[in-house]
Amino acid sequence: YHAPETAFGQVYNLGTGKDVTIGEIVDAVRKIVGKELPVITDPSRIRPAKSEVMRLLSDNSKARREIGWEPQVSIEEGLAKTTDWIRAHLKMYQPDRYVR
């Protein structure tokens, strides 16, 4: 894909236009890796009530209209590709360490 000259300097949302819950992401990753992964909640990382929006949804209509962009992979396919990449680069990760 090559963006037109008019796209340079512009801001575009490039999401799918569909929201997904953390639970749906966890279920998809469990399916991809073939394991029943536990979900551990760290109370110090839970957002305080009314601190942020609880739902984020990308509006890609500007990108579709102005530069002809459309999503080409589903969330499941994107997670599978990401998982494959991480598996190929495990030395770069320290999964037991949380960096703030």
Side-chain angles (χ1 to χ4, degrees), residues 14-18 60 64 69-82:
L14 301 180
T16 62
K18 299 176 184 174
N60 60 30
R64 288 176 183 266
W69 181 89
E70 292 195 32
Q72 297 188 4
V73 298
S74 66
I75 187 73
E76 294 83 7
E77 184 180 351
L79 288 169
K81 287 181 177 194
T82 300

Side-chain angles (χ1 to χ4, degrees), residues 4-99:
E5 191 72 28
T6 56
F8 294 99
Q10 296 293 315
V11 176
Y12 296 96
N13 288 317
L14 301 180
T16 62
K18 299 176 184 174
D19 63 345
V20 60
T21 67
I22 297 298
E24 290 168 334
I25 292 173
V26 170
D27 289 342
V29 171
R30 285 175 175 156
K31 184 177 178 183
I32 291 165
V33 300
K35 294 181 181 178
E36 185 60 35
L37 304 169
V39 174
I40 302 169
T41 303
D42 179 347
S44 69
R45 297 190 64 205
I46 295 177
R47 294 180 189 147
K50 300 182 182 179
S51 67
E52 294 187 40
V53 296
M54 299 307 287
R55 182 175 178 231
L56 299 173
L57 178 62
S58 174
D59 177 0
N60 60 30
S61 61
K62 179 180 175 184
R64 288 176 183 266
R65 181 179 63 254
E66 294 184 10
I67 62 175
W69 181 89
E70 292 195 32
Q72 297 188 4
V73 298
S74 66
I75 187 73
E76 294 83 7
E77 184 180 351
L79 288 169
K81 287 181 177 194
T82 300
T83 301
D84 289 344
W85 190 92
I86 290 171
R87 284 179 174 148
H89 300 87
L90 282 176
K91 291 182 181 180
M92 296 174 64
Y93 290 89
Q94 297 175 351
D96 57 334
R97 184 172 170 227
Y98 175 65
V99 180

